[in-house]
Amino acid sequence: MARLPSAERRAQLTEAAIRAMTRDGVARTTTRSIAAEAGVSLSVFHYCFDSKQALLEAVIEAITAHYITVVREAIRPKATLRETIRAGFQAYWDHVCAQPGEHMLTYELTQYALRQPGFEHLARRQYAMYRDTYEELIRRLARDTGLRPRVPVAVLAGYLAAMTDGLTLGLLVLGDEGAAADLLDMVTDHVQGLMGP
């Protein structure tokens, strides 16, 4: 087994945990199964993560980073504000459709954290990351367009987090990828109005 810097090994184990938890569920995934998924010894796992909380936090951050990266790339300025906003939503939606298991895992992680005494802060951190990401994207959009949102950025970020959360859960429950197009258009129009001149 090649020796990797600890940050790289943690990233390797985090991605292995995501694959194992997506396949087996959070409750049934063990440190042993994650180590096996990563192809490392159990001692390497325990060297990199000193607690289950630390592992779950790394998993939440990594999953969020997976789709944030895609959305950040997509939201580069287009010909119109509407096209820019819609491209960001479409990039997120394409990720949900391509990785439904990963997005299902986010809900499972939230429920798991809320039900485990002492882990509740992980669920709060997860949703704070969603809002923080939307705040960052809104501020970037405002900077790139010269527009000023008509509502406080924190309020708009919370709205977008709640809206995408609901759309995502709807897809996971109903399995209808195409049903979101009209909803994404409607939310795009609404956000465009809230980003007005």
Side-chain angles (χ1 to χ4, degrees):
M1 168 174 47
R3 290 187 57 87
L4 293 176
S6 62
E8 287 182 39
R9 188 64 79 189
R10 277 178 63 93
Q12 176 193 24
L13 284 162
T14 300
E15 292 300 325
I18 291 169
R19 290 190 303 274
M21 290 178 182
T22 297
R23 182 185 60 238
D24 303 329
V26 174
R28 290 188 303 276
T29 300
T30 63
T31 55
R32 191 174 304 281
S33 67
I34 294 167
E37 181 77 27
V40 302
S41 69
L42 199 53
S43 63
V44 170
F45 178 91
H46 289 296
Y47 174 78
C48 292
F49 292 102
D50 60 359
S51 69
K52 190 163 189 178
Q53 285 188 22
L55 169 68
L56 293 180
E57 188 160 5
V59 166
I60 289 167
E61 289 179 5
I63 288 176
T64 304
H66 289 173
Y67 66 81
I68 288 172
T69 301
V70 172
V71 173
R72 278 189 185 125
E73 286 299 312
I75 205 165
R76 296 191 187 287
K78 310 283 187 283
T80 67
L81 174 62
R82 188 184 192 289
E83 288 176 51
T84 304
I85 295 169
R86 187 62 171 83
F89 285 129
Q90 191 62 53
Y92 172 79
W93 191 249
D94 290 346
H95 190 274
V96 173
C97 293
Q99 302 291 335
E102 222 175 78
H103 288 272
M104 188 180 305
L105 177 57
T106 64
Y107 291 101
E108 190 175 350
L109 286 165
T110 304
Q111 293 297 316
Y112 181 86
L114 290 173
R115 291 180 181 275
Q116 296 297 314
F119 283 52
E120 303 89 345
H121 71 282
L122 294 177
R124 288 191 293 274
R125 171 72 183 123
Q126 179 183 9
Y127 276 75
M129 284 174 62
Y130 298 162
R131 287 189 310 274
D132 291 349
T133 298
Y134 275 115
E135 282 197 34
E136 173 200 331
L137 293 172
I138 293 163
R139 290 183 197 287
R140 184 172 128 190
L141 186 61
R143 183 195 68 221
D144 291 347
T145 62
L147 296 174
R148 201 167 140 196
R150 294 180 177 186
V151 296
V153 171
V155 172
L156 183 52
Y159 164 71
L160 292 174
M163 184 278 310
T164 52
D165 200 40
L167 279 174
T168 303
L169 188 57
L171 171 67
L172 296 174
V173 172
L174 303 173
D176 186 356
E177 294 178 13
D182 290 340
L183 292 173
L184 291 176
D185 284 338
M186 185 172 69
V187 173
T188 297
D189 292 339
H190 191 209
V191 171
Q192 180 181 4
L194 294 172
M195 291 294 296

